[in-house]
Amino acid sequence: MRSDNARAGMQQAPARSLFNALGFTPEEMKKPMVGIVSSYNEIVPGHMNIDKIVDAVKLGVAEAGGVPVVFPAIAVCDGIAMGHIGMKYSLVTRDLIADSTECMALAHQFDALVMVPNCDKNVPGLLMAAARLDLPTVFVSGGPMLAGHVGGQKRSLSSMFEAVGAYAAGTMTEEDVENYVENVCPTCGSCSGMYTANSMNCLTEALGMGLRGNGTIPAVYSERIRLAKHAGYAVMDMYNKGITARQIMTKDAILNALTVDMALGCSTNSMLHLPAIAHEIGFDFDIEFANPISEKTPNLCHLAPAGPTYMEDLNEAGGVWAVMKELADIGLLNTDCMTVTGKTVGENIKNAVNRNPEVIRPVDNPYTKTGGLAVLKGNLAPDGSVVKRSAVVPEMLVHEGPARVFDSEEDAIEAIKGGKIVEGDVVVIRYEGPKGGPGMREMLNPTSAIAGMGLGSSVALITDGRFSGASRGASIGHVSPEAAVGGPIALVEEGDIIAIDIPNYTMTLKVSDEELAKRKAKWQPREPKVTTGYLRRYAAQVTSGNRGAILQTPEV
């Protein structure tokens, strides 16, 4: 046992005295020590129930012959952090979570781990840590929120942000907005659409790192407690069989996850997190992998914000495994990949059933023949940019219009709500990338304001920042290189014509190379927006969005 390094022999007698102080019995000292990484806190709705999940995991581990030991991981609520300086501290927590979990696991020599995450950066951060540590590891999330109901219709957090835009447009009263406030988020759990948290929890199943239902069983269902107990059993089975995280998280598994991403219509943030996870296993993930996979992968699901269905509907329809079965039947998945069940993907999904072809479209009747995400390139984004194609209305798949340029999210929101953005415009928000933000803020407020103002089918938004999974419309993010390092987005001027062609994967600034060269010669770097604390260190080390905003390891 790895834990013997910290517990066995005369040299470790002092450590045993400290285990004695923890209340360990002599019998427990002879059993595998399983770290339970608890993301419980009282500020994130998706995490307020995780203490119950952790208790169930502990029971499962103990029943299966291990000794469960809980330690914490942080998590930020993107919805609460949205629209102020707090959003600069969201993406950056992914690396803090990975680093701190690595530290705790190695400092105390755990034999295996169960990760209990739920929300946006918490899941990929722990997946990154799992890849680094290469221990027997199982994920079990806190689960999604049930959809809210307003006026007899299902609603979720994206509806709430769009209600604020509708209020600014004069089409909704303050009383209407308060009705949404009271009803769109009715339970604990990760927000009920296919936003980033639920995207990553579903992709954890596709990677093979979570049990069936990890991404879809609602947080308030007792079935999730049972799932957590089974996660405890599963990690001990992995330990006994010698199955570790890197045997599961392979290149093929990551490409499987990207394929499932396309079918589900996941958040654009997955195109930050999959490259970062891939980096941890030594796989150089190029975001352009998305396009050839998208070309052959049908989009089978339109969950909110792309459509009227929610995570509870996907769960009832058969969940992620049912989607994977549809894809596997036409040869789009590597079914030989190992999973935390101790079985292959193919063995797991063999008997999965699609119980609702309106929620999970069969492969012969998809929403579209191409996947949910697209990577656009061109002289405005030489290294790429990302759009959630499945959430773009057909009339905006090809668009051309004048640039309306803003150097911060706040300035853009003021213009949108002030009625200064009109049909046909292309809103450009820059200096919000990983370095320039710093922290690459999500742009849910401006995209929701555009939708709420009734401009969602006529206005595009381009940024070197990123978008919430709750964003919809022609919202193109991760523009790389970013403005802070002199990328072409920094050279755009008010009124320049920008042409977007999502089906052909291009985004073009209609300005001559000669003119761009002149502008580049005059460009000067901006003063950093943050000069102290963790964000200063983050900005100094972070890479661009197309590389997953991973931290560059300094030369030794």
Side-chain angles (χ1 to χ4, degrees):
M1 291 186 295
R2 178 191 294 254
S3 56
D4 283 347
N5 293 331
R7 300 187 299 188
M10 183 56 65
Q11 185 66 30
Q12 293 307 119
R16 286 199 299 280
S17 72
L18 295 171
F19 279 106
N20 187 61
L22 288 167
F24 274 58
T25 66
E27 293 82 4
E28 287 176 316
M29 294 288 284
K30 297 174 184 177
K31 295 179 180 180
M33 188 166 63
V34 181
I36 315 297
V37 186
S38 170
S39 304
Y40 170 76
N41 64 46
E42 294 182 341
I43 190 61
V44 184
H47 291 239
M48 63 182 286
N49 65 317
I50 280 179
D51 56 337
K52 308 295 189 299
I53 306 297
V54 167
D55 286 346
V57 172
K58 289 171 67 177
L59 280 172
V61 168
E63 287 180 8
V67 180
V69 182
V70 179
F71 66 89
I74 63 170
V76 163
C77 178
D78 280 19
I80 294 174
M82 196 77 64
H84 54 85
I85 192 173
M87 182 45 69
K88 294 179 184 288
Y89 286 90
S90 172
L91 178 60
V92 305
T93 64
R94 184 187 70 184
D95 296 274
L96 285 170
I97 291 163
D99 292 349
S100 59
T101 302
E102 174 193 352
C103 291
M104 288 293 288
L106 292 180
H108 303 102
Q109 292 292 286
F110 288 103
D111 295 297
L113 298 168
V114 179
M115 307 291 199
V116 191
N118 210 23
C119 288
D120 296 25
K121 314 310 166 301
N122 189 240
V123 183
L126 290 177
L127 284 167
M128 290 163 66
R132 282 184 207 172
L133 293 163
D134 195 26
L135 295 171
T137 306
V138 176
F139 278 66
V140 56
S141 76
M145 185 183 292
L146 292 176
H149 291 81
V150 179
Q153 299 292 318
K154 285 185 177 181
R155 291 289 184 261
S156 63
L157 185 66
S158 56
S159 307
M160 187 70 255
F161 278 88
E162 290 177 15
V164 175
Y167 175 78
T171 58
M172 191 174 282
T173 67
E174 184 174 350
E175 184 179 4
D176 293 333
V177 174
E178 286 305 312
N179 186 31
Y180 273 67
V181 169
E182 291 295 324
N183 293 293
V184 298
C185 295
T187 71
C188 62
S190 48
C191 298
S192 56
M194 188 55 80
Y195 310 147
T196 306
N198 292 327
S199 294
M200 293 309 302
N201 283 320
C202 287
L203 294 186
T204 298
E205 285 191 58
L207 278 169
M209 291 297 292
L211 299 174
R212 182 175 190 171
N214 177 69
T216 60
I217 298 169
V220 294
Y221 284 13
S222 298
E223 185 182 357
R224 184 154 289 276
I225 299 296
R226 297 196 296 272
L227 180 75
K229 292 176 183 176
H230 282 289
Y233 303 156
V235 80
M236 290 308 300
D237 185 55
M238 288 178 70
Y239 173 79
N240 292 328
K241 292 177 177 176
I243 300 172
T244 63
R246 284 199 197 175
Q247 293 172 36
I248 296 169
M249 298 170 72
T250 62
K251 176 180 177 179
D252 286 337
I254 288 171
L255 295 179
N256 275 353
L258 182 55
T259 301
V260 174
D261 183 312
M262 293 297 174
L264 286 171
C266 290
S267 163
T268 52
N269 281 311
S270 63
M271 295 304 290
L272 282 175
H273 302 322
L274 288 177
I277 295 163
H279 176 73
E280 297 294 344
I281 65 165
F283 171 27
D284 187 10
F285 184 106
D286 187 329
I287 61 170
E288 277 198 279
F289 291 154
N291 291 342
I293 289 178
S294 178
E295 285 294 333
K296 62 184 180 181
T297 306
N299 178 226
L300 306 181
C301 300
H302 264 194
L303 289 99
T309 53
Y310 293 80
M311 296 306 297
E312 63 207 65
D313 302 313
L314 179 59
N315 187 62
E316 291 168 12
V320 176
W321 282 18
V323 175
M324 294 175 72
K325 180 67 162 53
E326 293 280 354
L327 298 175
D329 284 348
I330 57 172
L332 293 181
L333 293 183
N334 185 323
T335 55
D336 292 330
C337 292
M338 179 53 62
T339 73
V340 294
T341 66
K343 299 177 181 178
T344 66
V345 167
E347 290 171 317
N348 284 343
I349 66 175
K350 180 179 179 180
N351 296 316
V353 175
N354 181 354
R355 302 191 193 98
N356 190 336
E358 293 303 313
V359 175
I360 303 171
R361 290 278 187 93
V363 290
D364 58 1
N365 182 35
Y367 282 100
T368 58
K369 292 182 179 179
T370 53
L373 298 180
V375 172
L376 312 185
K377 281 194 170 184
N379 66 344
L380 186 53
D383 294 338
S385 60
V386 182
V387 62
K388 187 171 182 175
R389 173 165 50 184
S390 60
V392 180
V393 294
E395 55 266 38
M396 288 299 291
L397 291 171
V398 177
H399 179 76
E400 185 172 308
R404 305 298 308 280
V405 183
F406 304 94
D407 287 351
S408 73
E409 177 188 5
E410 289 82 0
D411 290 347
I413 292 171
E414 183 179 352
I416 295 164
K417 291 185 176 178
K420 296 177 182 177
I421 302 302
V422 299
E423 290 186 9
D425 283 349
V426 179
V427 176
V428 177
I429 305 178
R430 61 192 181 189
Y431 294 99
E432 291 286 5
K435 284 184 180 293
M440 204 178 186
R441 288 193 288 181
E442 286 186 342
M443 300 293 161
L444 180 54
N445 274 324
T447 59
S448 298
I450 287 170
M453 296 288 283
L455 298 170
S457 60
S458 60
V459 169
L461 194 155
I462 296 170
T463 182
D464 53 6
R466 61 193 178 92
F467 294 106
S468 165
S471 293
R472 60 187 177 100
S475 303
I476 301 164
H478 310 192
V479 171
S480 301
E482 63 174 291
V485 298
I489 193 172
L491 311 179
V492 181
E493 295 183 358
E494 188 81 8
D496 285 347
I497 300 300
I498 295 175
I500 299 163
D501 188 341
I502 295 173
N504 288 305
Y505 307 114
T506 63
M507 185 167 63
T508 306
L509 177 63
K510 291 196 164 183
V511 174
S512 69
D513 292 344
E514 292 78 14
E515 174 61 22
L516 287 176
K518 289 178 184 178
R519 294 181 188 180
K520 178 70 173 178
K522 295 178 182 178
W523 178 81
Q524 295 291 326
R526 302 291 177 91
E527 288 294 319
K529 293 179 183 177
V530 178
T531 57
T532 60
Y534 179 67
L535 284 182
R536 179 186 179 187
R537 284 181 281 138
Y538 181 86
Q541 291 187 300
V542 71
T543 60
S544 64
N546 71 297
R547 295 186 59 196
I550 60 172
L551 298 185
Q552 190 72 52
T553 303
E555 293 293 333
V556 178

